[in-house]
Amino acid sequence: MNFNLRVKGFSLQQTLLSGQSFRFDEIAPNHYLVFAWNNVVEVEQSGDELFFKNSTCHPEFWHNYFDLNYNYSNLLCGFSGDSILEIVRGFCGGIRILKQNPFEVLICFLLSSCNNIPRIKKIVSVLCRNFGTQLSCGFAFPTPQQLEHCNLNDFAILKAGFRSAYLIDAIRNVCCGNLDLSKLSSLSVDEARKKLMNIKGVGKKIADCVLLFAYHKFEVFPIDVWVKRVLQQYYQSGLSSQFLSCPGFAQQLIYYSKRSGII
DNA sequence: GCCCAGGGAATCG
DNA sequence: CGATTCCATGGG
């Protein structure tokens, strides 16, 4: 299925490259193969237009996935008065927070510890190819049930090292109902975070990544090494009220900007 | 053979 | 509580 969507202020490239997803491939400059939930699409941005090709689903799915309904200009306006946030807003204000599958985000960020993005993407692609459902192009991220009976030997192909044990613990807890990902959204952020942190290898940072990238909890603030550097550089005396107006989104712009070397 | 990647957990004070 | 130290593995 092919179709177009008109967007305002959105940047496909900034959104995909902002470190929240590991499930896309650049097939040409500014032209991506994007996997989400059980779907895949080729997408390209030109100005205010998104061109979708060979989508496995209807436009509404991608509209929701890329969070195109949310009023981000309000958030960006709220950053006025904080000089750092004004800079990053001008640099990458086209970032949107994707609506990703919680199980997928949990597994991907468990793989992120002591790791780099290209390698995480490689591990995830091997995981999908070996255990996920085949799509028209590529493979879907495996469900908890598809991974339920995997052991350390099965995961040796991932070359994920010590992280494989984390995956197995997470899968087991999800499959037995100990961690019910479908119920986290009804809990308070603090309660949901506690539940996630019961998984081996999940601390506050990874829990907050799941809450932000899968549950759209903009009030959380995952602090990774890049963001920590910015805090030490510019926010020694504390975060501004503008920052605290939407920590999750501010964090995402700061991460992308710091990694790009503009701040 | 060494260094790097980026987090969690345990153990302090 | 916050700060410090140790730990884990594969790729270049």
Side-chain angles (χ1 to χ4, degrees):
Chain A
M1 182 182 276
N2 300 339
F3 46 85
N4 303 347
L5 288 178
R6 186 161 288 281
V7 292
K8 201 164 183 292
F10 170 78
S11 167
L12 177 65
Q13 178 171 318
Q14 289 169 10
T15 299
L16 291 177
L17 296 184
S18 63
Q20 53 183 316
S21 164
F22 304 97
R23 291 281 285 147
F24 63 91
D25 297 307
E26 186 169 27
I27 51 185
N30 206 25
H31 190 168
Y32 299 90
L33 191 60
V34 176
F35 297 86
W37 298 76
N38 289 319
N39 294 304
V40 59
V41 71
E42 290 170 43
V43 57
E44 189 173 12
Q45 179 167 18
S46 176
D48 285 346
E49 200 98 29
L50 288 175
F51 298 93
F52 293 84
K53 273 179 59 186
N54 301 323
S55 174
T56 53
C57 61
H58 293 270
E60 296 75 42
F61 172 85
W62 298 109
H63 199 274
N64 176 66
Y65 179 70
F66 287 111
D67 205 21
L68 299 178
N69 261 344
Y70 199 92
N71 188 345
Y72 280 88
S73 55
N74 263 355
L75 298 185
L76 294 167
C77 286
F79 289 164
S80 295
D82 178 316
S83 58
I84 298 301
L85 289 181
E86 287 180 4
I87 292 172
V88 302
R89 166 176 83 181
F91 179 65
C92 58
I95 289 179
R96 301 294 179 260
I97 305 296
L98 299 169
K99 299 249 189 79
Q100 299 186 72
N101 178 291
F103 179 68
E104 176 177 332
V105 176
L106 174 61
I107 297 297
C108 288
F109 280 89
L110 273 172
L111 293 169
S112 72
S113 100
C114 199
N115 218 340
N116 55 64
I117 290 172
R119 193 165 154 236
I120 297 169
K121 287 181 71 170
K122 187 183 288 182
I123 294 172
V124 171
S125 81
V126 173
L127 183 71
C128 294
R129 196 182 323 137
N130 282 276
F131 303 103
T133 302
Q134 182 149 28
L135 303 173
S136 59
C137 178
F139 293 83
F141 196 89
T143 63
Q145 289 70 34
Q146 284 174 315
L147 298 173
E148 186 169 7
H149 303 294
C150 290
N151 55 36
L152 285 177
N153 272 341
D154 300 320
F155 280 167
I157 48 172
L158 303 180
K159 300 199 180 299
F162 64 93
R163 306 166 195 86
S164 284
Y166 296 163
L167 266 53
I168 287 171
D169 186 62
I171 293 159
R172 192 174 52 75
N173 275 282
V174 170
C175 284
C176 76
N178 203 352
L179 177 64
D180 188 343
L181 292 172
S182 69
K183 290 215 169 96
L184 287 192
S185 47
S186 64
L187 300 178
S188 71
V189 161
D190 285 343
E191 286 300 311
R193 183 188 290 122
K194 277 184 199 163
K195 298 254 184 202
L196 288 165
M197 286 173 63
N198 285 332
I199 305 297
K200 283 198 192 84
V202 179
K204 184 171 187 299
K205 191 270 180 184
I206 291 180
D208 281 357
C209 283
V210 176
L211 291 171
L212 180 59
F213 302 139
Y215 294 96
H216 230 246
K217 301 291 186 189
F218 282 6
E219 64 266 46
V220 306
F221 184 44
I223 302 176
D224 75 322
V225 289
W226 297 90
V227 173
K228 187 176 289 179
R229 287 168 196 158
V230 175
L231 296 187
Q232 283 165 352
Q233 244 181 305
Y234 303 108
Y235 294 98
Q236 284 265 355
S237 54
L239 295 176
S240 64
S241 62
Q242 291 88 341
F243 206 116
L244 294 172
S245 72
C246 192
F249 185 52
Q251 173 272 156
Q252 201 61 13
L253 302 199
I254 277 188
Y255 172 87
Y256 182 87
S257 299
K258 186 63 180 171
R259 294 211 60 169
S260 302
I262 68 126
I263 56 174

